[in-house]
Amino acid sequence: MNDPGLDEPIADASAIVKENVEDHPPASHHNAQTSSPHQHRNASPEETYDKMEEEEQERNFLMPARWWYASTGVPLVAGTFGPMANAFSICALVENWRVEIPPGGTEEHGIDIKDPGWLIAVNAVSLAFALVANMSLLLNMARRVPFRIAQPITIAGFWIASVLLISLIAVASSDFDVPGVRHQALSQAYYYAIFAACLYQIISYLMCFTVYGAYKGHFSKEFKLTVAQRTLMLQTIMFLLYQLLGALVYSHIEGWKFLDAVYWAEFTSLTIGIGDDYTPKTHLGRGLLFPFAMGGIIILGLVVGSIRSLILERGKKKMAARLTEKTRRRLLKEIERISKRKSRLKHKGALGLGKHTTKALTVEPGDGEVAELERRQAEFEAMRKVQDWAATERKYMSLLVSTFAFAFLWTIGALVFERAERNQDWSYFGSLYFSYTTLLTIGYGDFQPMSNSGKPFFVFWTLLAVPTLTILISDMGDTVVKAVKDVTIWLGEITVLPSSEDTIANRLKHGVYKVTLGQLDPRSSDSRDKHKAGGKDKDTKDRLAADFEEEEKQDESDARHKGDRWQEDAHHHRHVLLSQIRRVYADASAATPKKYSYEEWQYFLKLLGEDEADASYHRRAPIHGDEDREAREATKKNNEGGNLYIGRHGAGSDGPKEGRDVQAPKWSWIGAQSPLMGDKEEAEWLLERLFQRLEESLHSDRPQAEHGKHYPRDLQEQKQREEDGMGSGRCVS
């Protein structure tokens, strides 16, 4: 090995696998055609469970968007907004719902009117139902309580809590008959009850949707939330508790009402800073502000980081997968129409592809009209185009949605503040100004909510603003900010900064390509190749030299001296596999996901036992999902996935039953079973298959005999030709 730091881990892994081989002897030579190398090795319960988890995760990833939201998004929303609704219920319980407006005074300085006992009792019962429902939901997510028990409790608890609060809200909306009180107004607690009731109602109906999908079999009845998703819920609960406890402390220190202290804690933790009506006046309050504000910012930062790394990354992948699938199906339908009417090729290709590429896509594998390698490369390039189109559409669609969400939050928030602060004579433009400066945490302090309805809405509204702005900033970073950065770098390259382009004309052409998102490409072919290569020199000879060093190791040398060709080939194959594993591992660990060229994929597939030039492995991609059905049938026939076929579900487990041949489903680069589809990055997908091929090789004395082809020898001969300058250039750099 040549990479420092990787030799020992790979050697250790190889030793562990060899120990397993010694514990479970391989199949005999005479039965190599019918026995799987995994036949005598039973998977542990942990391995079986991990594989089931992986398959379940991929099924969830590829399911229709509505069921993915029902299985993952809705529980996550319920787990984060449920505690928020509980916090609002507490705010609705701790203070009276009505205040007396003194002569010449306003409602924010009103005198509390004691609530009737029945109102307090019903309010407390509502909170109890909501807490039980929320606890049941969290225990179900932690897999402490079964789905069939927890979900009825959750749905019924939230729904009953909302109905009780709605009943109280309806009754309390009219003036109570209080002797001696002439003018009454609703307090902040009343409006917190409205927000809590709305959230309870929404969560209960959303969870009904989740339960319906689970019982219809669209996804598992057990939530598959990851540790990171549960962490987000716990961080949200922590932030809300921190706010309430801070408000409780400051209400005693500064003599504020508890709900006024909640309002203060909110704009303090969000670093908005509104006016001087609610600022600490005591030395103790100002002294405690240092740790309180810092703690709030830290917890808020954790929440924002979790939203970005969890919801955004997972949501982006899910959205990209759905758009890729839609674009792929649209391409297949267009190819089908063109294949029926070849005359259409005289005008243009399918979905912007070249005519030559489109023609190759209409040909059946092995019919001789187009060379199989050329046809497969056309499929690969078409799939890359589909990925590029979907990625661009995903970025700008996400930006459009997040911009609309921000605009909605801004304009609707301004409308509510205008109505709530009519005693301060706010105009709509003034409300827009206040909302904008608040969302961007500028906080001039010249406008601030003072009404009993404005303060609770401010708390609820700013909590919604946290994920909204996080998503918007991330989407702008992928599009607008990146475009500005690219333009800045390009302007620097054509003026004073050094550039990879040799002339100003080529720099301008590259700028046109970037500005038009690849629609116009006036660059020369040499310039395109330079940018595709990313400035890396693919030195094939260095790769071949490294492989030769592995080949010359003692085990292979001994086998050669003994004249045992099979052992010689086996050792060489393992050396090449280990060499590629360490390189793919480096790609999988990189910050930017690696996308391999077609030549690189050819080489990797050769290592995995498949020849891109052999049409017997391939088929044209079906339009209506027949490929998924055929893959499942072949997998079932091979004893639940025993073969290491190349399709997306190709990681086999325990091999076919004795005496049964392995059937590898045919696949297409633009089919549903393509390695370019699914939720795994290309390097991750390849790493799993290479490790599996290595393990298969170590479990068998004749690793390639069962396929009847000398793949290691083919690779060795190919390597020799490439070293002599006659190779096909398939080796990966």
Side-chain angles (χ1 to χ4, degrees):
M1 299 293 176
N2 297 325
D3 292 349
L6 289 177
D7 297 343
E8 293 183 4
I10 292 178
D12 293 341
S14 178
I16 293 173
V17 177
K18 285 183 178 179
E19 289 178 3
N20 291 334
V21 175
E22 293 173 359
D23 293 338
H24 306 282
S28 60
H29 302 333
H30 69 275
N31 200 29
Q33 293 289 341
T34 58
S35 298
S36 168
H38 297 283
Q39 180 176 333
H40 299 281
R41 181 176 62 88
N42 295 324
S44 66
E46 291 80 6
E47 291 175 341
T48 303
Y49 179 77
D50 290 342
K51 183 169 181 60
M52 292 172 61
E53 286 280 299
E54 180 182 350
E55 292 175 352
E56 178 71 21
Q57 182 180 3
E58 185 164 359
R59 282 195 297 270
N60 290 342
F61 183 80
L62 295 171
M63 70 174 62
R66 61 183 179 277
W67 298 122
W68 180 83
Y69 287 121
S71 65
T72 304
V74 168
L76 193 58
V77 168
T80 51
F81 281 87
M84 183 190 299
N86 290 154
F88 290 164
S89 284
I90 294 173
C91 293
L93 182 62
V94 296
E95 289 192 6
N96 296 305
W97 281 28
R98 302 195 70 82
V99 294
E100 177 186 1
I101 302 176
T106 57
E107 64 179 28
E108 55 265 25
H109 300 295
I111 302 171
D112 286 346
I113 299 176
K114 186 174 178 59
D115 289 335
W118 57 266
L119 189 147
I120 298 174
V122 174
N123 199 353
V125 171
S126 171
L127 176 60
F129 271 105
L131 289 173
V132 170
N134 201 44
M135 184 60 65
S136 175
L137 176 64
L138 295 178
L139 289 176
N140 183 213
M141 291 179 177
R143 300 180 184 177
R144 305 294 184 186
V145 179
F147 184 90
R148 67 180 185 278
I149 297 175
Q151 289 314 303
I153 296 175
T154 298
I155 294 173
F158 280 132
W159 189 81
I160 293 173
S162 68
V163 169
L164 292 176
L165 281 180
I166 291 172
S167 301
L168 291 180
I169 291 167
V171 173
S173 60
S174 59
D175 290 348
F176 294 154
D177 185 12
V178 181
V181 176
R182 298 181 58 186
H183 300 288
Q184 301 180 22
L186 298 168
S187 70
Q188 295 184 54
Y190 172 85
Y191 293 102
Y192 276 113
I194 293 177
F195 295 134
C198 292
L199 289 175
Y200 290 148
Q201 193 77 199
I202 292 171
I203 292 172
S204 64
Y205 288 133
L206 287 177
M207 293 307 299
C208 286
F209 178 48
T210 295
V211 171
Y212 172 80
Y215 278 97
K216 283 294 184 179
H218 294 290
F219 46 83
S220 172
K221 293 182 181 180
E222 296 298 330
F223 292 124
K224 300 296 182 181
L225 297 183
T226 63
V227 174
Q229 290 168 333
R230 296 190 183 98
T231 300
L232 175 60
M233 294 187 296
L234 293 177
Q235 289 171 346
T236 304
I237 295 173
M238 186 189 308
F239 178 75
L240 293 169
L241 287 176
Y242 189 81
Q243 298 293 92
L244 294 179
L245 290 176
L248 179 63
V249 171
Y250 269 86
S251 65
H252 288 286
I253 293 176
E254 298 295 333
W256 298 332
K257 289 184 177 181
F258 175 74
L259 297 186
D260 287 335
V262 170
Y263 167 67
W264 169 85
E266 180 71 9
F267 70 69
T268 299
S269 296
L270 297 181
T271 67
I272 297 173
I274 296 180
D276 58 357
D277 286 344
Y278 293 99
T279 56
K281 300 295 193 299
T282 64
H283 292 299
L284 178 59
R286 291 173 177 174
L288 289 178
L289 178 65
F290 300 125
F292 175 77
M294 184 59 66
I297 292 172
I298 291 174
I299 298 175
L300 181 64
L302 292 174
V303 173
V304 171
S306 296
I307 293 172
R308 177 176 176 80
S309 63
L310 174 64
I311 297 180
L312 287 181
E313 296 305 322
R314 184 64 180 177
K316 285 179 180 179
K317 284 188 175 182
K318 178 64 180 177
M319 189 175 181
R322 297 306 303 168
L323 291 174
T324 300
E325 177 63 14
K326 289 181 179 180
T327 308
R328 185 186 71 86
R329 289 182 180 273
R330 193 164 72 245
L331 174 63
L332 291 177
K333 290 179 181 179
E334 182 66 19
I335 292 173
E336 187 69 18
R337 285 195 292 267
I338 291 176
S339 63
K340 293 178 180 178
R341 293 180 57 188
K342 294 291 182 74
S343 59
R344 293 192 178 191
L345 279 174
K346 296 179 181 179
H347 304 288
K348 62 178 181 178
L351 296 182
L353 295 175
K355 296 180 182 179
H356 183 73
T357 301
T358 303
K359 179 181 178 181
L361 296 178
T362 62
V363 176
E364 292 290 341
D367 68 351
E369 184 176 348
V370 177
E372 181 61 15
L373 206 57
E374 182 181 352
R375 192 192 68 82
R376 292 285 287 181
Q377 185 168 4
E379 282 190 345
F380 182 87
E381 292 174 354
M383 192 62 202
R384 279 285 187 244
K385 280 286 188 181
V386 167
Q387 289 179 320
D388 293 341
W389 293 332
T392 302
E393 185 178 357
R394 192 273 307 163
K395 287 191 294 186
Y396 287 95
M397 183 179 293
S398 297
L399 178 62
L400 180 64
V401 171
S402 57
T403 302
F404 175 79
F406 172 80
F408 181 83
L409 194 68
W410 176 29
T411 55
I412 298 301
L415 182 63
V416 173
F417 282 122
E418 181 196 12
R419 297 290 188 270
E421 301 302 322
R422 56 185 177 273
N423 290 336
Q424 299 190 66
D425 295 327
W426 282 18
S427 65
Y428 184 66
F429 181 78
S431 298
L432 281 175
Y433 165 77
F434 164 76
S435 300
Y436 189 79
T437 56
T438 300
L439 288 174
L440 298 185
T441 68
I442 298 173
Y444 288 122
D446 48 349
F447 284 79
Q448 55 181 309
M450 297 299 296
S451 65
N452 288 343
S453 58
K455 293 175 185 176
F457 178 75
F458 177 87
V459 173
F460 175 65
W461 180 71
T462 50
L463 288 175
L464 293 180
V466 172
T468 303
L469 282 174
T470 301
I471 295 172
L472 176 62
I473 292 171
S474 177
D475 290 336
M476 291 183 67
D478 290 341
T479 52
V480 179
V481 176
K482 185 177 183 302
V484 172
K485 179 181 177 181
D486 290 342
V487 170
T488 303
I489 294 175
W490 174 64
L491 289 175
E493 287 180 344
I494 64 175
T495 53
V496 295
L497 297 180
S499 171
S500 58
E501 300 289 357
D502 52 354
T503 64
I504 294 180
N506 285 339
R507 298 176 192 177
L508 291 172
K509 291 177 181 179
H510 182 62
V512 171
Y513 171 78
K514 298 289 286 185
V515 169
T516 60
L517 302 177
Q519 297 301 314
L520 295 178
D521 192 358
R523 302 173 300 170
S524 63
S525 59
D526 293 340
S527 179
R528 293 192 197 103
D529 294 339
K530 186 185 301 183
H531 284 280
K532 285 182 180 179
K536 294 182 179 178
D537 182 18
K538 297 184 177 182
D539 194 341
T540 303
K541 291 186 177 180
D542 287 345
R543 291 288 307 278
L544 295 175
D547 289 347
F548 263 118
E549 290 177 3
E550 299 297 336
E551 184 181 2
E552 293 299 328
K553 283 195 172 183
Q554 190 63 43
D555 290 342
E556 186 174 357
S557 178
D558 292 344
R560 186 182 302 110
H561 291 157
K562 293 177 182 179
D564 190 341
R565 179 183 174 184
W566 284 112
Q567 286 296 328
E568 180 186 348
D569 285 350
H571 287 301
H572 171 66
H573 190 218
R574 293 166 193 167
H575 297 157
V576 176
L577 283 172
L578 288 170
S579 175
Q580 300 311 312
I581 283 173
R582 60 176 182 166
R583 287 169 171 81
V584 175
Y585 178 80
D587 293 336
S589 304
T592 303
K594 169 77 172 179
K595 290 187 179 295
Y596 297 100
S597 66
Y598 181 68
E599 289 74 17
E600 291 172 322
W601 271 105
Q602 275 185 270
Y603 182 78
F604 284 127
L605 293 179
K606 189 75 171 180
L607 283 177
L608 295 175
E610 180 171 319
D611 190 353
E612 277 288 273
D614 188 349
S616 62
Y617 292 100
H618 310 143
R619 61 166 298 168
R620 278 184 60 189
I623 299 178
H624 302 294
D626 295 335
E627 192 174 18
D628 279 327
R629 177 179 53 79
E630 292 178 7
R632 287 193 297 269
E633 291 176 355
T635 300
K636 184 177 180 181
K637 183 176 180 180
N638 293 333
N639 192 22
E640 301 300 325
N643 60 307
L644 192 146
Y645 63 84
I646 303 303
R648 179 161 38 82
H649 302 290
S653 55
D654 297 327
K657 293 182 180 179
E658 185 173 353
R660 181 178 296 176
D661 292 335
V662 172
Q663 175 191 358
K666 298 180 180 181
W667 62 283
S668 167
W669 280 111
I670 54 176
Q673 296 295 319
S674 170
L676 304 183
M677 295 289 290
D679 63 336
K680 291 184 175 64
E681 299 294 347
E682 295 178 26
E684 183 183 357
W685 188 96
L686 281 170
L687 197 61
E688 290 182 3
R689 270 41 175 203
L690 289 171
F691 268 121
Q692 188 178 0
R693 179 60 75 185
L694 176 63
E695 185 177 2
E696 181 186 82
S697 176
L698 291 170
H699 273 86
S700 175
D701 288 339
R702 298 288 186 264
Q704 303 300 332
E706 61 189 77
H707 298 291
K709 297 184 180 181
H710 307 305
Y711 287 117
R713 178 60 60 186
D714 289 345
L715 289 171
Q716 183 179 4
E717 293 172 355
Q718 174 191 331
K719 184 174 65 175
Q720 183 66 51
R721 290 196 305 270
E722 289 176 343
E723 189 184 52
D724 296 337
M726 301 168 57
S728 60
R730 294 182 189 176
C731 200
V732 190
S733 64

